[in-house]
Each structure stands twice: as structure tokens, then as C-alpha cells.
Amino acid sequence: MSMMTIACSGAQAAKIRMNTTAMNLANLKTAGYSRQHADQSAVGPVDSAHLSPGGGVQVERIRRISSQYLTGQVRSSISKSEYYKSGQTFLTPMESLLGNSNSGLAEGIDKFFATLHGATTQPDNNAVRQAVINEAQAMATRFNSVNDFIKNQHVAIRSQRENTVLTVNALSKDIASYNSKIADLEATGSNSNTMRDQRDELVKKLSGYMDVKVLEDSRGNYKVSLSNGETLVSGSSTGRLSVSTLPNGSQEISLAFAQSKNSIGLSCGGKLGAINDYENTTLKTMQSAVSDMAENMAREMNQQLAKGFDLQGHAGKPLFVFNAKGSDDLLQITQIKTSELALSDKKGATGNDGNLLALIALKNKKYSLSGATPASLGENCASMVSAIGITSRQNQSESTAADDILQQAESQRDGLSGVNMDEEAINLQDCQQEYQANMKVIATGNRIFSDLLALF
């Protein structure tokens, strides 16, 4: 093997390495790009001449520098990070609503009972009685506003769930498409590194919506499974998620793959799991508590009013109407007149406040909400605000920790697969020097060959 042939192989190898370095530098800021490295090896003698040093050098492959373990750590961390972020988007508004003095239930209840207490000075005064009715309406409005807010969050969650399922289906289809393209390229010995990066980015996006597990087969295909083991993507085949509403009004998600269709658990991590867990824990608890408080308020107040007498000496009429179902307000005020408020506990004694005092005492009466320890209306309100506050702060703390873990996982991945500009600059300089050195060898060989020809 001549020195010129050997040098040509060296120059060609240096050129490939320079192209590889150029590709790395060009994608310095490309999200998910994994740096590439040209693996080369020496070429042995092609004949039996014992004085032949060899045939030069060859580039065996352009290798993608990556680790499935580190990539998997990033996916897992993203799923947890998005889980807590998504939950917080619902927790923060709920906490703000309940803790606001202009919209919270505690303040509305306090104002209503304060108005009742103020009526003890002139229980037969129509203006004072009208103030009681007005404050009862204001309190009912607060209950209805909170209840409507909870209903709106349910609607938002269902809409988000349906949109997320559509996104997951689209990502799954794209991943399957990349599986086919990568398998076809690698079957012909072509470079699939860039496509592998792009596929990993799709899987990373998918993991933000739900927990997934990834296995790679011998042909380079990804098999993507849910946390419960159900297959979402296998080679060029994809499953399809769908959302359906059950008779009880709740939703379920089903996965159809091949000839089977199964219901999957809604607690599936990522954004999709977060909205489910929030809906079935915090939001459900809040809705039940608000409804129970409104029902107790209406029942106890109406029962006590029925024991008293109005200004005409008639038995008391109800002040509240509780509506647990339907599109109407949760708590409504009846068409009661000021003269019909039964504030007296003695028939015909218009200035008597005996029943009014009994109504005021209801503020401190103990109620059990959803089987919890009996507590007064004020205590239940405080407990509700405290519970949402604790949940929100804990979620924020978990979110911060998850973001830190994600940052560490991304740093570890980038430490291996990311492009280092200084390192690539050194590589480029080395390749340039190697290329120039091999070209000098070629020039020397050419000169020797010319000198040999001149001898004849």
C-alpha cells in the first residue's frame, strides 16, 4: 500500500471528523441534540508483504453519544415536574378564592351573623329586618360563587383531559412514524442519529403528559408503555386513547391497541394524572364541604325560623332554599318579606328577640361535614381554607424539588450528550492539523513519484 493511498485515507478520515465537528457546532443550541463522534480504526495490510505497515485508516461509523439511562431519568423527571405544575394551576386559584375576604365563605358567614346580632336592638324594625335578608342574600351569593368556581374547574379539567388525550395520540403516531424511518435507515446502514434525537424529544414531550416506559428492540424500534404496562406504541403500531363519560357523570380513559380495548387508570402521572388526582381529592373534598355547609346552614336556619313567630304572629317561614343538584344556585333566598321573619319566640310579641338569639347561636353549633369531626360553621370554613393552603404549599414544595431533580437530570444528560463549544473547537483544530499533515504526505509522495519518473 503506497504512502499516498495511506495519506488519502487519513485525509478522508480527518475530513469526516471535521464534518462531524461542524455538525455538532451547528446544533449547539438545538434542543435534544446529541453530539456525534466519528469512530475510526486502523486498516491492516491488504497483502502478505511483511514490510507493509498497513492500509491506513477508516471511519467505521458516526456514533451518537447518548445514554438510555440518562435520557430515561430526564423523562421520569419531566413527568413529575409537569405533574406538580399542572396541579398548581388549579390549586392557586382555589386558594386565592377561599382566602379572599371579598369572596371567602368565612367572611360572608361572619357578616350575616353580625347583622343578626345587630338586629337584637330593634327586632321589629323593617329596615333592620331588610338588612338581615340582604346579608343572607350576600352570604348565599358567596356560597354560589364558590360552588360555581368548583363546577368551572370540573369543566376545565374535563376539557383539558380530552385535549391532552388528543395530544398523546398525535405524539404516539409521530413516535411510531420515526420508528419506521429509523428502522429503514439502519437497515441500509444509513445514519439515523438525528432522527433518534427527534424521536427522543417526542417521547420526552409525551412523558410530560403521562408516565411512560421505553424499551428498544434490536431493530431500533421503541416500545412505549404506560405505567400499568399497557402498550401505547410498538414499532409502527400505535394505540389510541379515548375519553368517555360514565353514567355517574365521571370520565374514564380507554386504550385501544390491536384488537383489544381496556380502561386505564386516570392516576397515570404527568399532566393527565395531576388533573385527575386534583379532581378526585382536593376538588371533590371542597365541593362536598361547600355543599354540606350550605345544606346545614339552610336546614338549621329554616328549622329554627319555623319555631318562631313573625310580626303578624304567624309561624316562621323558611329563609333559604338548598339545591344540591341542577344548574340553579346552590343556596337561594326565598321570597320572604321583612314582616315574615320569625325573630320572636312568643306569638304576638313583635319586639321579642328570643328566636333571633337562637338563630345567632347556630353560628357556634357543631356540624359534621362528610364524616369529619363536628365543628362550627366558622371552624369548618377555617379548616377548609387551611386544608387548601397546606395542600398548595406542599405541592409547591414538591414542584420545586421536582424541578431541581429535573435540572440535575438534564445537566447529567447534557454533560454526556450535549455539545461543548470549547471541546469541539479543539477537535476542529486537531482535525485541521491532521488533514494538513496528510496532505503534506500526499504532496511528498507525489514529489517522490515525479523524481522516480525523471530517472527514466
Side-chain angles (χ1 to χ4, degrees):
M1 185 68 68
S2 70
M3 63 185 297
M4 293 178 64
T5 304
I6 293 174
C8 281
S9 71
Q12 182 65 24
K15 184 179 178 181
I16 293 174
R17 287 174 58 200
M18 281 192 286
N19 289 340
T20 304
T21 299
M23 180 67 175
N24 289 341
L25 288 171
N27 288 278
L28 181 65
K29 299 297 183 181
T30 301
Y33 177 79
S34 300
R35 65 188 176 93
Q36 301 183 58
H37 182 269
D39 291 340
Q40 62 184 44
S41 63
V43 178
V46 296
D47 51 38
S48 59
H50 71 282
L51 293 179
S52 173
V57 67
Q58 65 180 359
V59 175
E60 296 179 336
R61 61 171 178 165
I62 307 297
R63 180 164 52 92
R64 175 173 172 257
I65 309 299
S66 66
S67 164
Q68 278 296 329
Y69 171 75
L70 294 179
T71 303
Q73 290 295 100
V74 172
R75 285 196 295 263
S76 176
S77 300
I78 285 177
S79 182
K80 288 183 173 63
S81 177
E82 291 299 327
Y83 176 90
Y84 293 114
K85 285 180 181 177
S86 183
Q88 197 60 45
T89 61
F90 290 95
L91 282 168
T92 297
M94 177 68 80
E95 182 182 17
S96 177
L97 176 73
L98 295 178
N100 192 317
S101 60
N102 295 319
S103 57
L105 298 180
E107 289 77 5
I109 292 173
D110 286 343
K111 289 182 178 180
F112 172 65
F113 279 98
T115 303
L116 284 177
H117 191 274
T120 57
T121 57
Q122 292 179 295
D124 56 349
N125 185 284
N126 280 327
V128 171
R129 287 169 167 260
Q130 186 61 54
V132 170
I133 295 176
N134 291 344
E135 205 56 57
Q137 180 61 67
M139 180 183 65
T141 298
R142 290 190 183 230
F143 270 98
N144 297 331
S145 296
V146 172
N147 189 58
D148 288 343
F149 181 85
I150 292 173
K151 287 182 178 179
N152 290 336
Q153 282 206 334
H154 275 295
V155 172
I157 286 173
R158 294 183 175 217
S159 176
Q160 186 172 330
R161 181 180 289 126
E162 291 168 358
N163 291 333
T164 298
V165 163
L166 293 177
T167 301
V168 168
N169 287 337
L171 288 171
S172 301
K173 185 177 180 180
D174 289 342
I175 293 169
S177 176
Y178 271 94
N179 275 343
S180 297
K181 293 176 182 178
I182 290 170
D184 291 343
L185 280 175
E186 295 186 352
T188 61
S190 301
N191 187 331
S192 64
N193 291 344
T194 300
M195 283 196 171
R196 282 179 170 271
D197 287 340
Q198 293 168 346
R199 182 178 63 180
D200 277 347
E201 279 297 287
L202 290 173
V203 178
K204 188 167 75 170
K205 289 181 181 178
L206 178 62
S207 66
Y209 294 105
M210 57 199 312
D211 287 335
V212 293
K213 299 177 181 178
V214 178
L215 293 176
E216 184 176 354
D217 65 19
S218 58
R219 298 185 67 244
N221 287 315
Y222 271 1
K223 179 181 179 181
V224 182
S225 304
L226 304 182
S227 57
N228 66 353
E230 295 278 353
T231 301
L232 186 61
V233 179
S234 181
S236 60
S237 301
T238 61
R240 183 171 182 81
L241 296 176
S242 60
V243 181
S244 58
T245 302
L246 301 176
N248 62 3
S250 63
Q251 289 183 317
E252 74 168 4
I253 299 178
S254 298
L255 172 60
F257 188 86
Q259 302 301 318
S260 64
K261 184 175 183 180
N262 299 309
S263 175
I264 67 170
L266 294 180
S267 242
C268 51
K271 294 180 180 179
L272 198 56
I275 59 177
N276 169 75
D277 293 347
Y278 173 79
E279 181 181 37
N280 288 304
T281 55
T282 302
L283 192 59
K284 185 177 181 179
T285 300
M286 289 295 136
Q287 186 171 32
S288 178
V290 171
S291 179
D292 286 353
M293 288 176 64
E295 183 179 14
N296 279 317
M297 170 66 74
R299 183 183 64 251
E300 296 294 331
M301 291 295 295
N302 289 341
Q303 286 180 353
Q304 190 59 50
L305 284 168
K307 297 176 181 179
F309 301 93
D310 63 16
L311 293 180
Q312 282 75 41
H314 300 143
K317 292 184 177 181
L319 175 61
F320 295 102
V321 175
F322 173 71
N323 179 38
K325 299 180 179 179
S327 58
D328 294 336
D329 289 336
L330 180 69
L331 191 60
Q332 299 174 337
I333 302 300
T334 64
Q335 297 297 319
I336 193 171
K337 300 177 182 178
T338 57
S339 61
E340 295 173 329
L341 279 176
L343 305 183
S344 173
D345 62 353
K346 295 180 181 179
K347 187 174 182 179
T350 57
N352 179 274
D353 63 356
N355 202 43
L356 175 58
L357 294 176
L359 291 171
I360 295 173
L362 293 177
K363 182 180 181 181
N364 297 317
K365 186 175 180 179
K366 305 290 184 180
Y367 307 95
S368 178
L369 301 183
S370 302
T373 302
S376 67
L377 285 170
E379 290 170 342
N380 279 317
C381 284
S383 176
M384 189 164 56
V385 173
S386 175
I388 192 69
I390 291 173
T391 301
S392 179
R393 286 191 296 275
Q394 183 177 358
N395 190 81
Q396 291 176 36
S397 177
E398 295 285 358
S399 180
T400 300
D403 286 345
D404 289 342
I405 293 174
L406 172 59
Q407 186 176 5
Q408 293 173 11
E410 289 179 331
S411 295
Q412 290 177 345
R413 182 267 172 197
D414 292 344
L416 174 68
S417 303
V419 178
N420 185 299
M421 187 165 57
D422 294 335
E423 181 181 340
E424 297 300 330
I426 294 174
N427 289 340
L428 187 61
Q429 185 177 10
D430 290 343
C431 292
Q432 183 181 11
Q433 291 174 350
E434 290 176 20
Y435 181 81
Q436 291 171 347
N438 280 285
M439 292 306 292
K440 286 181 180 180
V441 173
I442 293 173
T444 300
N446 187 56
R447 188 166 56 251
I448 292 173
F449 183 71
S450 297
D451 289 345
L452 288 173
L453 288 177
L455 295 176
F456 297 95

Short mmCIF file of all heavy atoms in Angstrom, two decimals, residues 30-33 70-71 73-79 82 171 175 197-210 212 214 222 406 410 413-414:
data_model
loop_
_atom_site.label_atom_id
_atom_site.label_comp_id
_atom_site.label_asym_id
_atom_site.label_seq_id
_atom_site.Cartn_x
_atom_site.Cartn_y
_atom_site.Cartn_z
N THR A 30 -29.52 23.38 19.58
CA THR A 30 -30.68 22.58 19.19
C THR A 30 -31.14 21.71 20.36
O THR A 30 -30.36 20.92 20.89
CB THR A 30 -30.33 21.67 18.00
OG1 THR A 30 -29.92 22.48 16.89
CG2 THR A 30 -31.54 20.84 17.58
N ALA A 31 -32.40 21.87 20.74
CA ALA A 31 -32.94 21.12 21.87
C ALA A 31 -32.92 19.62 21.58
O ALA A 31 -33.36 19.18 20.52
CB ALA A 31 -34.36 21.57 22.17
N GLY A 32 -32.37 18.85 22.52
CA GLY A 32 -32.37 17.41 22.41
C GLY A 32 -31.30 16.82 21.51
O GLY A 32 -31.23 15.60 21.35
N TYR A 33 -30.44 17.69 20.93
CA TYR A 33 -29.40 17.17 20.05
C TYR A 33 -28.33 16.44 20.85
O TYR A 33 -27.90 16.91 21.91
CB TYR A 33 -28.76 18.31 19.26
CG TYR A 33 -27.61 17.87 18.36
CD1 TYR A 33 -27.86 17.28 17.14
CD2 TYR A 33 -26.29 18.05 18.77
CE1 TYR A 33 -26.81 16.86 16.32
CE2 TYR A 33 -25.23 17.65 17.95
CZ TYR A 33 -25.50 17.05 16.73
OH TYR A 33 -24.47 16.64 15.93
N LEU A 70 -29.67 7.91 31.18
CA LEU A 70 -29.77 9.34 31.47
C LEU A 70 -30.98 9.96 30.78
O LEU A 70 -31.66 10.82 31.35
CB LEU A 70 -28.48 10.05 31.03
CG LEU A 70 -27.21 9.69 31.80
CD1 LEU A 70 -26.01 10.46 31.25
CD2 LEU A 70 -27.38 9.96 33.29
N THR A 71 -31.25 9.52 29.56
CA THR A 71 -32.44 10.01 28.84
C THR A 71 -33.71 9.60 29.58
O THR A 71 -34.67 10.38 29.68
CB THR A 71 -32.47 9.47 27.40
OG1 THR A 71 -31.26 9.85 26.73
CG2 THR A 71 -33.66 10.02 26.64
N GLN A 73 -33.94 9.09 32.80
CA GLN A 73 -34.02 9.91 34.00
C GLN A 73 -34.65 11.26 33.71
O GLN A 73 -35.44 11.78 34.50
CB GLN A 73 -32.62 10.12 34.59
CG GLN A 73 -32.01 8.87 35.21
CD GLN A 73 -32.79 8.40 36.43
OE1 GLN A 73 -33.60 7.46 36.37
NE2 GLN A 73 -32.56 9.03 37.56
N VAL A 74 -34.31 11.84 32.55
CA VAL A 74 -34.91 13.12 32.16
C VAL A 74 -36.41 12.94 31.95
O VAL A 74 -37.22 13.76 32.41
CB VAL A 74 -34.25 13.66 30.87
CG1 VAL A 74 -35.00 14.88 30.35
CG2 VAL A 74 -32.80 14.03 31.14
N ARG A 75 -36.80 11.87 31.26
CA ARG A 75 -38.23 11.62 31.02
C ARG A 75 -38.99 11.48 32.33
O ARG A 75 -40.07 12.06 32.51
CB ARG A 75 -38.41 10.36 30.18
CG ARG A 75 -38.08 10.51 28.72
CD ARG A 75 -38.65 9.37 27.91
NE ARG A 75 -38.06 8.09 28.27
CZ ARG A 75 -37.06 7.52 27.62
NH1 ARG A 75 -36.52 8.12 26.58
NH2 ARG A 75 -36.59 6.34 28.00
N SER A 76 -38.45 10.71 33.24
CA SER A 76 -39.11 10.49 34.53
C SER A 76 -39.23 11.80 35.31
O SER A 76 -40.27 12.08 35.92
CB SER A 76 -38.32 9.46 35.34
OG SER A 76 -38.88 9.29 36.62
N SER A 77 -38.19 12.61 35.26
CA SER A 77 -38.18 13.88 35.99
C SER A 77 -39.17 14.87 35.40
O SER A 77 -39.83 15.62 36.13
CB SER A 77 -36.77 14.48 35.99
OG SER A 77 -35.84 13.61 36.60
N ILE A 78 -39.29 14.87 34.08
CA ILE A 78 -40.24 15.76 33.41
C ILE A 78 -41.67 15.40 33.81
O ILE A 78 -42.51 16.26 34.07
CB ILE A 78 -40.08 15.70 31.89
CG1 ILE A 78 -38.82 16.46 31.46
CG2 ILE A 78 -41.29 16.27 31.17
CD1 ILE A 78 -38.54 16.41 29.99
N SER A 79 -41.95 14.11 33.87
CA SER A 79 -43.29 13.65 34.25
C SER A 79 -43.67 14.17 35.64
O SER A 79 -44.78 14.66 35.85
CB SER A 79 -43.34 12.13 34.22
OG SER A 79 -44.64 11.66 34.53
N GLU A 82 -44.05 18.15 35.58
CA GLU A 82 -45.31 18.58 34.97
C GLU A 82 -46.51 18.20 35.82
O GLU A 82 -47.54 18.89 35.82
CB GLU A 82 -45.44 17.97 33.57
CG GLU A 82 -44.46 18.51 32.55
CD GLU A 82 -44.63 20.00 32.33
OE1 GLU A 82 -45.78 20.50 32.41
OE2 GLU A 82 -43.62 20.68 32.07
N LEU A 171 -48.75 12.46 19.42
CA LEU A 171 -47.35 12.15 19.72
C LEU A 171 -47.05 10.68 19.50
O LEU A 171 -45.98 10.32 18.97
CB LEU A 171 -47.04 12.55 21.17
CG LEU A 171 -46.95 14.05 21.46
CD1 LEU A 171 -46.86 14.29 22.97
CD2 LEU A 171 -45.75 14.67 20.76
N ILE A 175 -44.21 9.13 17.01
CA ILE A 175 -43.15 8.22 17.50
C ILE A 175 -43.12 6.95 16.66
O ILE A 175 -42.05 6.46 16.28
CB ILE A 175 -43.37 7.88 18.99
CG1 ILE A 175 -43.16 9.14 19.86
CG2 ILE A 175 -42.41 6.78 19.44
CD1 ILE A 175 -43.62 8.97 21.29
N ASP A 197 -32.57 11.48 17.89
CA ASP A 197 -32.73 12.65 18.77
C ASP A 197 -34.15 13.19 18.71
O ASP A 197 -34.76 13.50 19.74
CB ASP A 197 -31.74 13.76 18.35
CG ASP A 197 -30.32 13.44 18.73
OD1 ASP A 197 -30.11 12.59 19.61
OD2 ASP A 197 -29.40 14.05 18.14
N GLN A 198 -34.67 13.30 17.49
CA GLN A 198 -36.02 13.85 17.32
C GLN A 198 -37.06 12.93 17.94
O GLN A 198 -38.05 13.39 18.52
CB GLN A 198 -36.29 14.07 15.83
CG GLN A 198 -35.42 15.17 15.23
CD GLN A 198 -35.45 15.20 13.72
OE1 GLN A 198 -35.91 14.26 13.07
NE2 GLN A 198 -34.94 16.27 13.13
N ARG A 199 -36.85 11.63 17.84
CA ARG A 199 -37.78 10.68 18.46
C ARG A 199 -37.73 10.80 19.98
O ARG A 199 -38.77 10.77 20.66
CB ARG A 199 -37.45 9.26 18.03
CG ARG A 199 -38.40 8.21 18.60
CD ARG A 199 -38.08 6.81 18.11
NE ARG A 199 -36.75 6.37 18.54
CZ ARG A 199 -36.25 5.18 18.22
NH1 ARG A 199 -36.94 4.32 17.48
NH2 ARG A 199 -35.03 4.84 18.63
N ASP A 200 -36.53 10.94 20.53
CA ASP A 200 -36.40 11.11 21.98
C ASP A 200 -37.10 12.37 22.47
O ASP A 200 -37.66 12.39 23.57
CB ASP A 200 -34.92 11.13 22.39
CG ASP A 200 -34.33 9.74 22.53
OD1 ASP A 200 -35.12 8.77 22.56
OD2 ASP A 200 -33.10 9.62 22.61
N GLU A 201 -37.06 13.43 21.65
CA GLU A 201 -37.75 14.66 22.02
C GLU A 201 -39.26 14.44 22.06
O GLU A 201 -39.95 14.97 22.93
CB GLU A 201 -37.41 15.77 21.03
CG GLU A 201 -36.08 16.45 21.28
CD GLU A 201 -36.03 17.17 22.62
OE1 GLU A 201 -36.68 18.22 22.76
OE2 GLU A 201 -35.37 16.65 23.53
N LEU A 202 -39.77 13.65 21.12
CA LEU A 202 -41.20 13.34 21.12
C LEU A 202 -41.59 12.54 22.37
O LEU A 202 -42.63 12.81 22.99
CB LEU A 202 -41.57 12.56 19.86
CG LEU A 202 -41.53 13.32 18.54
CD1 LEU A 202 -41.74 12.37 17.37
CD2 LEU A 202 -42.58 14.43 18.51
N VAL A 203 -40.77 11.57 22.72
CA VAL A 203 -41.05 10.75 23.91
C VAL A 203 -40.95 11.62 25.16
O VAL A 203 -41.73 11.45 26.11
CB VAL A 203 -40.09 9.56 24.00
CG1 VAL A 203 -40.36 8.74 25.27
CG2 VAL A 203 -40.22 8.66 22.78
N LYS A 204 -40.02 12.57 25.16
CA LYS A 204 -39.89 13.47 26.31
C LYS A 204 -41.15 14.32 26.46
O LYS A 204 -41.64 14.53 27.58
CB LYS A 204 -38.66 14.36 26.13
CG LYS A 204 -38.34 15.20 27.36
CD LYS A 204 -36.95 15.82 27.28
CE LYS A 204 -36.92 16.98 26.33
NZ LYS A 204 -35.65 17.74 26.40
N LYS A 205 -41.67 14.82 25.35
CA LYS A 205 -42.92 15.58 25.41
C LYS A 205 -44.06 14.71 25.91
O LYS A 205 -44.89 15.14 26.72
CB LYS A 205 -43.26 16.14 24.02
CG LYS A 205 -42.36 17.25 23.55
CD LYS A 205 -42.78 17.74 22.17
CE LYS A 205 -41.86 18.86 21.68
NZ LYS A 205 -42.24 19.31 20.32
N LEU A 206 -44.09 13.47 25.42
CA LEU A 206 -45.14 12.54 25.84
C LEU A 206 -45.09 12.29 27.34
O LEU A 206 -46.13 12.22 28.01
CB LEU A 206 -44.99 11.22 25.08
CG LEU A 206 -45.96 10.10 25.43
CD1 LEU A 206 -47.39 10.51 25.11
CD2 LEU A 206 -45.60 8.82 24.67
N SER A 207 -43.88 12.18 27.89
CA SER A 207 -43.74 11.90 29.32
C SER A 207 -44.22 13.06 30.18
O SER A 207 -44.50 12.88 31.37
CB SER A 207 -42.27 11.58 29.65
OG SER A 207 -41.45 12.71 29.45
N GLY A 208 -44.31 14.25 29.60
CA GLY A 208 -44.86 15.37 30.35
C GLY A 208 -46.36 15.24 30.58
O GLY A 208 -46.91 15.80 31.52
N TYR A 209 -47.01 14.46 29.73
CA TYR A 209 -48.46 14.26 29.84
C TYR A 209 -48.82 13.03 30.67
O TYR A 209 -49.88 13.00 31.30
CB TYR A 209 -49.08 14.13 28.45
CG TYR A 209 -49.00 15.41 27.65
CD1 TYR A 209 -48.08 15.55 26.61
CD2 TYR A 209 -49.82 16.49 27.93
CE1 TYR A 209 -47.99 16.72 25.88
CE2 TYR A 209 -49.74 17.66 27.22
CZ TYR A 209 -48.82 17.78 26.19
OH TYR A 209 -48.73 18.95 25.47
N MET A 210 -47.94 12.02 30.67
CA MET A 210 -48.21 10.82 31.46
C MET A 210 -46.91 10.02 31.62
O MET A 210 -45.98 10.16 30.82
CB MET A 210 -49.31 9.97 30.82
CG MET A 210 -49.03 9.56 29.40
SD MET A 210 -50.50 9.05 28.46
CE MET A 210 -51.30 7.92 29.59
N VAL A 212 -44.41 7.13 31.17
CA VAL A 212 -44.22 6.12 30.14
C VAL A 212 -42.92 5.36 30.39
O VAL A 212 -41.99 5.88 31.02
CB VAL A 212 -44.18 6.73 28.72
CG1 VAL A 212 -45.53 7.31 28.34
CG2 VAL A 212 -43.09 7.79 28.61
N VAL A 214 -39.95 3.01 28.27
CA VAL A 214 -39.45 2.84 26.91
C VAL A 214 -38.47 1.68 26.85
O VAL A 214 -37.54 1.60 27.66
CB VAL A 214 -38.77 4.12 26.39
CG1 VAL A 214 -38.22 3.90 24.99
CG2 VAL A 214 -39.75 5.29 26.41
N TYR A 222 -38.75 1.70 19.22
CA TYR A 222 -39.15 1.96 20.60
C TYR A 222 -40.50 1.27 20.87
O TYR A 222 -41.42 1.37 20.06
CB TYR A 222 -39.32 3.45 20.85
CG TYR A 222 -38.07 4.16 21.29
CD1 TYR A 222 -36.86 3.49 21.45
CD2 TYR A 222 -38.09 5.53 21.57
CE1 TYR A 222 -35.72 4.15 21.86
CE2 TYR A 222 -36.95 6.21 21.98
CZ TYR A 222 -35.76 5.51 22.12
OH TYR A 222 -34.64 6.17 22.52
N LEU A 406 -35.15 17.59 37.97
CA LEU A 406 -35.16 17.67 36.51
C LEU A 406 -33.92 18.40 36.00
O LEU A 406 -33.29 17.96 35.03
CB LEU A 406 -36.43 18.38 36.03
CG LEU A 406 -36.49 18.70 34.53
CD1 LEU A 406 -36.37 17.43 33.69
CD2 LEU A 406 -37.79 19.44 34.20
N GLU A 410 -31.15 16.81 33.55
CA GLU A 410 -30.80 17.42 32.27
C GLU A 410 -29.32 17.78 32.22
O GLU A 410 -28.68 17.65 31.16
CB GLU A 410 -31.66 18.66 32.03
CG GLU A 410 -33.11 18.32 31.72
CD GLU A 410 -33.96 19.56 31.52
OE1 GLU A 410 -33.63 20.62 32.10
OE2 GLU A 410 -34.96 19.49 30.77
N ARG A 413 -27.44 14.57 31.59
CA ARG A 413 -27.61 14.17 30.19
C ARG A 413 -26.79 15.06 29.28
O ARG A 413 -26.10 14.57 28.38
CB ARG A 413 -29.10 14.24 29.83
CG ARG A 413 -29.43 13.80 28.40
CD ARG A 413 -29.46 14.97 27.45
NE ARG A 413 -29.59 14.54 26.06
CZ ARG A 413 -29.31 15.30 25.04
NH1 ARG A 413 -28.86 16.54 25.21
NH2 ARG A 413 -29.45 14.86 23.80
N ASP A 414 -26.84 16.38 29.51
CA ASP A 414 -26.08 17.32 28.68
C ASP A 414 -24.58 17.17 28.88
O ASP A 414 -23.80 17.42 27.96
CB ASP A 414 -26.51 18.75 28.98
CG ASP A 414 -27.93 19.05 28.52
OD1 ASP A 414 -28.46 18.26 27.71
OD2 ASP A 414 -28.51 20.05 28.98
#
